[in-house]
Amino acid sequence: MSTDPALTRRALLARGAGGLGLLAMNGLLPAGEPTPAGAWAARPPHVAAKAKSVIWLMMEGGPSAVDLFDPKPELQRRHGQTVAGIETHFGKPGPLMRSPYSFKQHGQSGLWVCDKLPALARCADDLAMIKSVWTESSNHAPAMYQMNTGMPRPGFPSVGSWIGYGLGTPNQDLPGFVVMSGGVMKGGSLNWSAGFLPGAYQGTLLRSGGAPVLDLVRPKDLTAARQGELLTLTAALNAEHRRARPGPAESDLDARSASFDLAARMQSAVPGVADLAKEDAATRTLYGLDRGGRAAGFGTKCLLARRLVERGVRFVQLYPQDEWDAHNDLNGNHNGGCGEIDVPIAGLLTDLKRRGLLDSTLVVWGGEFGRMPVSEQGGGRDHNPHGFLMWMAGAGIKAGASHGATDEIGWKAAVDPVSVHDVHATILHLLGLDHRRLTWEHNGRRFRLTDTSGTVIRNILA
Amino acid sequence: MVLIAAATLCVAGDSAPTFTAVRPLLEEHCLRCHAGDKAKGGLDLTTRERLLAGGTSGAAVVPGDAGASRLWRQTAHREEPYMPPRQKALPPAAQALITAWIDAGVPYDRRLVPPPVTDNGPHWAFRPLSASTPPKSAKPPAEWPRSPIDAFLLAALDEAKLAPTPAAGRERLLRRVTVTLIGLPPTPEELAAVRADRAEDWYERVVDRLLASPHFGERWARHWLDVARYAESDGYESDGDRPGAWHYRDAVIRAFAEDLPFDHFVRRQLAGDELEPDQRDAIASTGFLTSGPLVTTSGDGTPRENAQNRANEIDDMVSTTAAAFLGLTVGCARCHDHKFDPIPTRDYYRLSAAFTTTMRVGASWRQGKEGSNDEGPRTPLRIADRQATPAPTWVLARGEAAHRQDEVAFGVLGALTPGGDASAWMSRPTAVKTTFQRSALAAWLCDSDRGAGALTARVLVNRLWQHCFGQGLVRTPNDFGTQGDRPSHPALLDWLAGELRRGGWRMKPLIRLLVTSAAFRQDVTWDAGKQRVDPDERLLWRRRPQRLDAESLRDAILATSGALRREQFGPAIKPWIPVEARSGRDKDVLPRPKEDSPGQWRRSIYLFTKRSLLTPAIDGFDGANPNASCGRRQVSTVSTQALYLMNDPFVRRQAGLFAARLAAAGDDDARLRLAYTLALARLPTTTESAAALRFVRAGGEAGWTDLCHVLFTLNEFAYVD
C-alpha cells in the first residue's frame, strides 16, 4: 500500500487554512498546560535509559519451563511418583511427568535449550534467564491481567500504557503502543487497556493483513484529494471557532484540531510500516515467512515489530496464534508452539542485532504463568503460577545471565523468587523509569504499575 | 509533534523581587508541612537560616540560582516529588515570583508563620451539614442572583473581585441545557419555538419540558451506570454474556425519569429484594451489586483461589457501595488501616459482612455452556441472600481469603457513626429469608441524624453539580476523604445537600435549581484578567465549553442525521465491531451483527457493553471503564478519535443520511441553514455559508454528504458552549 499523497504533511501545510491550524500547533500557541494531544509527546526518562523500545513476546497460555529451558534431572528420575500437597486448577493432580524432550547446552553461556527450539538455541548467548517467576493466579485471565497490568483484576493500565505515560514516543506518526493479537486472547482488550490513565495511552491493535489499524482506510466513496479538501474545510471552520474563543483555557480545541493532522499522518505512515513487500527475500526467510502456517504468521508479527521499533514505536506486544495451554497433550501442544516461535524469534534477535537495534530494544519472553511438573489427563500439564520462566534480551541485559531457580522438580520458585512487580520494575528501569516515581492519582490513591512492591532484578543487568 | 509548550517564565514587569510578594505563597502552599521541628523531610522554611540548612535530602535552594534550586524545580514540576503534593504546578506568575526571589538570594524580612490550624474537628466531609443560608450581595450584577445558588457563588466572586459573565444567547443556551438534561441536541422546531417565544419565562419552560422528556432518564441513568461500573458481561477469561443485566439499566432509567427519591433509590440498589420483593424495578435495582466483573473459571480452580475470588467479589460490592454513596475509598482498608482516612481494616470487614450472605441470581451465558441458573434474558440478574442468618465474616490479613483473623459482625463505619453499631438501623420482619443487613446499610446511608446521610447527600448533590457544570464543587466525586479535593464552596455544598433532604431527596427539583441559575446561563467569554485571579475557574466566572461524552457524541450524530431510533428499554443491542478492533476468539454468546444496520441506531445507553470487547465508538472517546466505579470520565484527545470521525463507515453513512435529510429543505441556502441548525443549533455566518457552498459545489454528487461529514468532525459539534 502506498502513502496517500493528499495526506502528507507537505500537502497539508500547503493547503491554506489547514496550514493555519498547523502553524498554530507548531509553537504559536499560548504557553500553558500540556495538552491532551501531547499525551504521547516524547519526554525524558527519570534516569539514563538503556532501552528505548520494548518488544514483548507474550506466550499466552503458559509455556512449560521444564520442557523448554530448565531441565530437571530429578523430574526425569522420579517420573511416575506422586507428590503430596500439590493443588491443581483442573481436577486431581497426576504423578510427576518427565519431559518428552531432550536438552543440550548451547553457546558460551551453556544455556540449556530443548531440541524443539534449534534456531533459538543458536541465540543462547543473547538471552538472560529468569527461572523463578511467580504470579498470584492459576487462572488465565487474572494471570494475564497481572502480567500485563500488575494486578490480577481487570481495569488497570497496562505496561505499555504506563510506559507511554512515562516517556511518550519519538514518532508521532505511529501509535506508541502497538499490540498484535493472537488467536485466543483471554481477557481481551483489557490486556492493553489504559485503565484509569487517559484513553490516549491504550494499545492500538495492528493486523498484518487487510486494513492494519481500525478506521485507517478512508471511506470508499471518498477520493484522497477530496478527503484532503474535507480536512481543509474542517481546519478552517475550527480555526474560526477558535478565534471566537481565545485564551489558553480552550487549548483542548487546538489539541483536537491537531489530532486530525496526526490522524492524517498516521493514515499515510501506518500502511507503509505494515507493508512487508520491501523486505528482501533473505530477511523474509530469516523470520520464517517462507515456512507458511503458524511460523510464517508469527514471523510476520516479529518482522512488523522490528519495523515498528526501528521507527521509534515505544512498546510492541505480540501474541502467538495458538496458546501454550497444554492440558492433555504437552508434546503435541508444545511441538506446535515451538514450531510457531522458534525461527521467528531467532530471526528477530538476529535481525535486531545486525541492525544495531538490539542495543536499544529490550526483548521480553514469557507467559502469564507456567506449567506443573505433574501430569494432567495422562500427557498434559496444568497451570503453575508458583514457579515459571521468563527471559529477556537486548538493551541493558547481561547476555547469558541466569537468575533464580525453582525447586528440584520445577514446581515452586525456590531461589530468588521474582514477582511480576519485579519483572515490571526491571523493564521500567531499563527504560530509565523509576517504578516508584511513575504514579497516577486515581480515586484517592497514587497508583503504580508495581502497586506497593517491585525490586529491579540486578543480576540480569549488564 | 510536541504540543507541550514549556510554561513561559516571564518575570513580572519591573517590580523588584521582594520577600513581601513571595511570603503569602510560601505560607499558603508550603508552611502547612514545612514548618517547625516536625517539618516534612526535615525542611523548615520559617527562617532563612533553616531554609539554607536544607532537609534530609539536601539543599532546597541555591541562592542566586533558581534553576538549580529544588524548591523551584519541584514547585514548578520540573523535578519529582512535585510540590505541593497532589496539586498542580504553581501558576506561572507564582513560579516567576519564586524564581525572582531565589535569584535575589532568598531574602527574608521576618519569620514565616504557618497558617493557623482551624481544623481540629473531624474532616469536613464527616461533619453534620452546616446550617448555611444564602448570603446577600451588596451590588449584584444584572440578572443575578436568579437562585440561592447564585447568591453563594456571588459571595465568593465578590471576595475575589470578579464579576460573572452575562448570559449566553438563546440558541446557545438551548443547546447547552438540552444536552445537559437529555443528552441530545435540540430539534429545529425547538429552536424555532425558542426564537419566537416572547415570554419572560421561556427558559424555565424549556427546562420543565426537558425534565419531563422520556430522554431525561436515559441521560442521567448513564451517569449513574458509570458509578455502578455497569456492563453486560462477566469479564475475565470467558467473559460470559449477562442476558438479564439490562433490567438494571432500565430500572435506573425509570428511577431518574420518574424522579424516585434518592433515599428510596439507595434502598433499592442495595436491598430492593428485601424491602420490595414484589416490585419488578426494586428487584432489578439490586443489579447494582451484581454489575461488577466476576471470575468464571474454566476449570474447577484451586480451593484457595476460589475463596479469593469470592473475597474479591465481596470487595467489589463494598468498594463500589462506598465509592458510589459515600465518596470514600473504603477499599483501601481491605489490606491495612486506611492510610489517610479514619477507616480501620476492621470497619471494612464489618461493612463487608452485609454482603457475605449474598449470591447472584440470573443467567450468565458462557461460550459452550449456559450458566447453571438458566433463567434467560427475561429475568433480571440480581442479588439475593442465600440464608436468613448472618454468615461468619473474618478480617483477612492483607485481604487474603486464606488468612483469616478475628471474626466480625456487620457494622457501619465508625468515622460516621462512632462505634459502628448497626443495630439502630436493623429492622427485620419475621419470617423472611434474608438477613436484612443490606437494608440496614441502606437505611444508615440515608439517615442524616445518626447515620451517613449528610455525606450521602453531599456526594449526590456534587455529582448532580458535576453533570450540570462540568466539574464538581468537589472535583474528586468518588473521594470525599482527606486526600480528595476540598469543596470550592463548602457552604453552598451543604446548603444543596440540605435542600435535597428538605425536598424529600428528589433530584429533579435540585437539577432544575442548578440549570435555572444565572451561573449556569453564563456565556463562555474568556477573560485574561479573571483567569489570572482564578486559573482553574473554580469560582465559575464564566461557562466553560464542555465536550460531548462518548455516548452523547454518537447520539448526536444519529439525531442530526435523523436516523436515531428513539424506542426505549429492553435487551441491549450488540453493535457491529469492525474486524480491525477484534482479537482472539469470539466470546459472544448472544449474537453480534456482522455489519452496521439501522437496528443498532438506538441511543448508546442501549448498546451492549462487553468487558473484553468494548465498542470503539464509546471506548475510544473515554467511555467509562466498567471494572470499577467511575465518578468522572477522562477527557482525552487522540488521533484515533479523528480517524474514527474521518473514516469509520458508520460516520460516513450517517453523513449520507444527514445529506438526504437536507434535500427536502429546498435550495442550497435552505439546506445549509437546516444543516447548521441540526448539527450546531445555529445558522451559518455569511463567511461560513460561502465556504461551505463552495465546498459542496466542488464535490459533485457527494458534495452535501461531504459537508455533513465535515460538520460531524467539527470542534463545535463536539464541544457545547
Side-chain angles (χ1 to χ4, degrees):
Chain A
M1 207 179 290
S2 64
T3 57
D4 202 333
L7 294 174
T8 61
R9 182 169 180 75
R10 186 178 296 265
L12 266 174
L13 271 168
R15 276 199 315 266
L20 269 185
L22 282 164
L23 286 178
M25 287 169 249
N26 275 321
L28 298 184
L29 290 180
E33 300 264 311
T35 59
W40 278 98
R43 285 177 283 282
H46 295 143
V47 295
K50 293 283 196 301
K52 290 181 185 154
S53 301
V54 178
I55 297 174
W56 189 315
L57 308 163
M58 180 72 201
M59 298 292 111
E60 179 178 10
S64 172
V66 297
D67 297 298
L68 301 183
F69 297 105
D70 194 12
K72 295 284 180 183
E74 191 66 10
L75 188 59
Q76 305 295 110
R77 200 177 62 76
R78 288 166 59 187
H79 176 73
Q81 295 180 11
T82 52
V83 181
I86 286 192
E87 266 187 0
T88 48
H89 187 74
F90 287 87
K92 285 204 173 69
L96 290 173
M97 181 174 86
R98 67 181 166 226
S99 176
Y101 302 147
S102 61
F103 281 83
K104 269 199 206 134
Q105 284 183 289
H106 295 269
Q108 296 289 313
S109 61
L111 176 75
W112 291 96
V113 183
C114 80
D115 59 348
K116 298 294 173 189
L117 295 169
L120 193 51
R122 290 193 287 276
C123 302
D125 286 344
D126 292 324
L127 314 181
M129 294 284 152
I130 312 165
K131 296 179 172 174
S132 53
V133 191
W134 62 274
T135 188
E136 287 176 39
S137 177
S138 65
N139 217 334
H140 289 291
M144 286 271 280
Y145 295 150
Q146 182 151 36
M147 193 52 78
N148 281 321
T149 74
M151 302 289 210
R153 286 168 286 133
F156 294 87
S158 49
V159 182
S161 302
W162 278 110
I163 291 171
Y165 160 60
L167 296 175
T169 180
N171 185 348
Q172 303 296 318
D173 294 358
L174 295 173
F177 170 16
V178 172
V179 179
M180 286 180 265
S181 80
V184 184
M185 305 306 295
K186 286 171 177 166
S189 60
L190 286 158
N191 286 300
W192 55 93
S193 151
F196 43 72
L197 292 178
Y201 294 116
Q202 85 178 10
T204 298
L205 278 179
L206 179 78
R207 301 190 312 156
S208 46
V213 169
L214 180 66
D215 293 324
L216 196 71
V217 178
R218 65 170 186 276
K220 288 189 200 74
D221 64 333
L222 206 53
T223 63
R226 185 61 174 165
Q227 187 167 52
E229 289 172 26
L230 202 141
L231 287 169
T232 304
L233 183 61
T234 296
L237 296 176
N238 279 346
E240 276 300 307
H241 177 257
R242 176 71 163 115
R243 262 194 283 284
R245 288 158 192 76
E250 260 71 76
S251 61
D252 286 6
L253 299 175
D254 303 318
R256 193 170 180 281
S257 298
S259 73
F260 282 86
D261 174 44
L262 290 170
R265 284 158 51 193
M266 207 176 273
Q267 189 165 326
S268 43
V270 174
V273 186
D275 180 8
L276 302 182
K278 294 196 184 72
E279 297 289 341
D280 59 34
T283 304
R284 297 170 64 87
T285 305
L286 182 66
Y287 282 87
L289 267 56
D290 56 341
R291 293 176 171 241
R294 283 169 64 184
F298 197 72
T300 302
K301 290 175 189 169
C302 287
L303 181 50
L304 282 170
R306 188 218 83 208
R307 292 173 64 87
L308 290 167
V309 299
E310 201 170 33
R311 287 160 177 79
V313 171
R314 196 63 88 178
F315 190 90
V316 184
Q317 191 178 42
L318 37 113
Y319 288 78
Q321 181 56 32
D322 208 348
E323 56 186 342
W324 293 86
D325 200 20
H327 281 289
N328 52 20
D329 176 14
L330 180 99
N331 201 357
N333 175 285
H334 276 40
N335 280 348
C338 290
E340 177 170 355
I341 66 160
D342 183 40
V343 170
I345 295 180
L348 173 66
L349 293 170
T350 308
D351 197 21
L352 288 173
K353 203 169 187 178
R354 71 179 182 181
R355 288 166 192 268
L357 287 167
L358 199 57
D359 298 335
S360 58
T361 305
L362 174 67
V363 181
V364 180
W365 181 97
E368 72 271 35
F369 42 53
R371 308 213 77 81
M372 282 288 180
V374 295
S375 69
E376 179 187 359
Q377 302 173 50
R381 295 194 193 278
D382 201 351
H383 309 163
N384 181 4
H386 309 293
F388 59 101
L389 180 146
M390 297 181 73
W391 56 253
M392 295 189 192
I397 291 295
K398 191 198 288 176
S402 177
H403 178 80
T406 47
D407 54 33
E408 56 189 8
I409 55 171
W411 174 27
K412 288 185 174 175
V415 180
D416 293 333
V418 167
S419 71
V420 176
H421 298 315
D422 299 340
V423 172
H424 290 159
T426 307
I427 293 170
L428 293 186
H429 172 81
L430 287 164
L431 288 159
L433 294 169
D434 180 342
H435 69 101
R436 291 158 303 185
R437 284 164 67 193
L438 191 65
T439 62
W440 184 266
E441 179 98 23
H442 168 68
N443 274 353
R445 195 187 142 189
R446 278 195 170 196
F447 281 87
R448 312 194 322 225
L449 171 59
T450 52
D451 196 19
T452 56
S453 62
T455 306
V456 175
I457 313 164
R458 302 275 166 192
N459 280 351
I460 61 161
L461 301 184
Chain B
M1 181 183 308
V2 179
L3 283 171
I4 297 177
T8 321
L9 257 177
C10 46
V11 176
D14 53 0
S15 60
T18 61
F19 185 57
T20 321
V22 81
R23 197 175 65 208
L25 280 172
L26 297 175
E27 286 181 343
E28 183 189 343
H29 295 290
C30 315
L31 268 280
R32 201 178 293 277
C33 302
H34 293 291
D37 295 337
K38 290 185 180 162
K40 289 264 170 72
L43 179 65
D44 181 355
L45 302 186
T46 50
T47 68
R48 185 166 191 272
E49 291 66 37
R50 293 200 175 182
L51 169 62
L52 293 180
T56 48
S57 48
V61 291
V62 180
D65 188 355
S69 297
R70 282 170 57 234
L71 190 147
W72 177 77
R73 296 187 61 77
Q74 292 180 354
T75 52
H77 288 203
R78 296 299 195 281
E79 183 181 324
E80 296 198 62
Y82 294 155
M83 289 288 154
R86 288 162 223 277
Q87 288 180 32
K88 287 186 177 177
L90 295 180
Q95 289 178 29
L97 287 171
I98 292 177
T99 308
W101 174 62
I102 299 176
D103 284 344
V106 288
Y108 272 66
D109 62 12
R110 57 163 238 215
R111 184 189 178 87
L112 291 180
V113 185
V117 181
T118 52
D119 198 341
N120 282 326
H123 175 57
W124 68 268
F126 300 155
R127 296 178 194 167
L129 297 181
S130 60
S132 48
T133 49
K136 292 251 186 303
S137 175
K139 280 191 296 177
E143 304 192 337
W144 280 70
R146 284 183 184 273
S147 86
I149 291 169
D150 297 329
F152 283 103
L153 294 174
L154 210 48
L157 286 165
D158 283 348
E159 198 170 316
K161 299 195 169 49
L162 291 177
T165 305
R170 287 187 177 210
E171 292 174 343
R172 204 169 262 190
L173 265 185
L174 179 68
R175 186 176 184 219
R176 177 189 303 169
V177 75
T178 307
V179 169
T180 301
L181 293 182
I182 67 169
L184 292 171
T187 65
E189 296 73 28
E190 288 161 358
L191 204 61
V194 159
R195 285 194 190 114
D197 196 334
R198 293 288 130 231
E200 187 93 324
D201 64 345
W202 70 271
Y203 180 76
E204 284 78 5
R205 281 185 289 111
V206 165
V207 169
D208 290 335
R209 169 176 63 76
L210 293 168
L211 288 171
S213 160
H215 295 307
F216 172 86
E218 295 167 331
R219 166 68 164 169
W220 287 75
R222 186 56 256 178
H223 295 318
W224 185 258
L225 296 182
D226 284 13
V227 170
R229 42 88 182 99
Y230 175 74
E232 279 133 335
S233 70
D234 291 334
Y236 291 96
E237 178 179 337
S238 38
D239 196 23
D241 288 344
R242 294 176 173 173
W246 59 272
H247 296 273
Y248 174 68
R249 174 249 287 149
D250 281 1
V252 175
I253 292 176
R254 277 192 287 269
F256 279 95
E258 294 162 9
D259 203 15
L260 186 72
F262 190 69
D263 56 345
H264 195 168
F265 182 82
V266 174
R267 289 197 295 274
R268 282 188 172 180
Q269 300 280 303
L270 295 178
D273 58 317
E274 293 182 328
L275 296 165
E276 297 172 81
D278 302 322
Q279 217 287 343
R280 176 191 57 166
D281 275 0
I283 292 167
S285 293
T286 62
F288 175 76
L289 295 172
T290 58
S291 285
L294 182 72
V295 178
T296 47
T297 155
S298 51
D300 310 322
T302 62
R304 184 192 176 100
E305 182 149 5
N306 293 342
Q308 189 61 38
N309 288 340
R310 173 63 178 164
N312 289 349
E313 186 186 359
I314 291 169
D315 174 65
D316 166 68
M317 296 185 204
V318 176
S319 298
T320 306
T321 299
F325 302 114
L326 298 173
L328 289 179
T329 56
V330 167
C332 292
R334 183 183 181 188
C335 306
H336 48 73
D337 290 347
H338 200 289
K339 291 237 168 85
F340 307 106
D341 294 332
I343 305 169
T345 296
R346 192 179 175 79
D347 278 20
Y348 169 94
Y349 286 98
R350 294 184 72 181
L351 205 57
S352 80
F355 304 108
T356 43
T357 49
T358 56
M359 59 180 187
R360 286 163 192 258
V361 187
S364 166
W365 288 356
R366 283 192 271 146
Q367 192 133 65
K369 60 177 172 185
E370 292 179 359
S372 54
N373 198 340
D374 179 18
E375 293 191 341
R378 303 198 62 81
T379 55
L381 178 63
R382 61 195 186 273
I383 209 86
D385 270 6
R386 63 163 73 91
Q387 61 194 62
T389 49
T393 303
W394 293 269
V395 173
L396 304 176
R398 298 180 306 281
E400 291 171 13
H403 294 105
R404 289 177 177 172
Q405 298 180 322
D406 299 350
E407 189 169 338
V408 291
F410 168 58
V412 294
L413 296 183
L416 294 160
T417 297
D421 180 1
S423 58
W425 295 277
M426 283 299 299
S427 167
R428 188 172 176 277
T430 50
V432 291
K433 293 177 181 158
T434 67
T435 64
F436 266 66
Q437 291 182 143
R438 288 179 283 114
S439 299
L441 177 58
W444 173 74
L445 283 170
C446 296
D447 182 339
S448 311
D449 299 322
R450 291 170 300 166
L455 180 54
T456 303
R458 282 188 185 110
V459 168
L460 177 71
V461 296
N462 188 60
R463 293 192 196 282
L464 302 181
W465 185 282
Q466 173 184 311
H467 298 314
C468 291
F469 287 92
Q471 67 178 20
L473 295 168
V474 175
R475 291 170 301 182
T476 52
N478 274 12
D479 187 7
F480 274 47
T482 56
Q483 295 299 295
D485 190 31
R486 288 181 163 254
S488 54
H489 300 76
L492 171 56
L493 183 67
D494 276 13
W495 183 84
L496 285 167
E499 194 64 10
L500 178 76
R501 286 164 44 199
R502 287 186 288 277
W505 295 85
R506 288 195 179 272
M507 292 182 273
K508 275 191 184 178
L510 208 88
I511 293 169
R512 188 179 192 280
L513 203 58
L514 300 183
V515 299
T516 54
S517 67
F520 181 85
R521 298 188 211 192
Q522 292 178 100
D523 210 342
V524 294
T525 321
W526 180 76
D527 184 297
K530 293 178 186 177
Q531 205 212 9
R532 263 197 298 281
V533 178
D534 178 26
D536 292 342
E537 301 182 26
R538 294 206 75 187
L539 299 177
L540 293 165
W541 45 266
R542 68 155 191 156
R543 172 79 180 183
R544 200 166 203 169
Q546 297 294 320
R547 197 177 82 178
L548 293 178
D549 58 34
E551 288 84 352
S552 301
L553 180 70
R554 180 179 170 278
D555 291 357
I557 289 173
L558 288 167
T560 305
S561 76
L564 181 68
R565 300 175 64 149
R566 292 175 185 251
E567 60 259 36
Q568 297 196 287
F569 307 118
I573 308 294
K574 276 204 177 156
W576 161 73
I577 290 182
V579 62
E580 294 85 2
R582 310 195 55 144
S583 66
R585 281 183 202 146
D586 182 12
K587 296 192 174 59
D588 283 311
V589 178
L590 300 170
R592 187 180 290 277
K594 299 266 185 286
E595 57 187 17
D596 180 35
S597 65
Q600 298 162 45
W601 297 345
R602 291 181 58 192
R603 290 201 71 174
S604 306
I605 193 171
Y606 299 111
L607 294 183
F608 196 99
T609 307
K610 194 161 178 74
R611 285 193 159 92
S612 66
L613 182 61
L614 295 170
T615 308
I618 304 301
D619 186 41
F621 289 83
D622 297 306
N625 169 354
N627 296 295
S629 178
C630 170
R632 186 179 180 185
R633 294 190 182 185
Q634 301 281 349
V635 180
S636 63
T637 300
V638 58
S639 46
T640 47
Q641 295 165 352
L643 283 173
Y644 173 81
L645 291 168
M646 286 159 59
N647 295 333
D648 195 85
F650 167 81
V651 177
R652 183 66 182 174
R653 189 169 176 189
Q654 295 301 320
L657 294 169
F658 184 9
R661 185 181 188 186
L662 300 178
D667 65 13
D668 280 359
D669 284 323
R671 288 189 197 191
L672 190 65
R673 282 197 301 275
L674 180 58
Y676 265 71
T677 303
L678 284 164
L680 307 173
R682 67 174 177 88
L683 294 174
T685 65
T686 46
T687 326
E688 286 169 333
S689 290
L693 291 177
R694 212 167 35 241
F695 174 80
V696 167
R697 284 164 194 152
E701 254 178 63
W704 279 102
T705 296
D706 294 346
L707 180 73
C708 291
H709 196 163
V710 166
L711 290 170
F712 286 153
T713 66
L714 291 182
N715 282 349
E716 190 177 351
F717 189 79
Y719 279 81
V720 177
D721 282 326

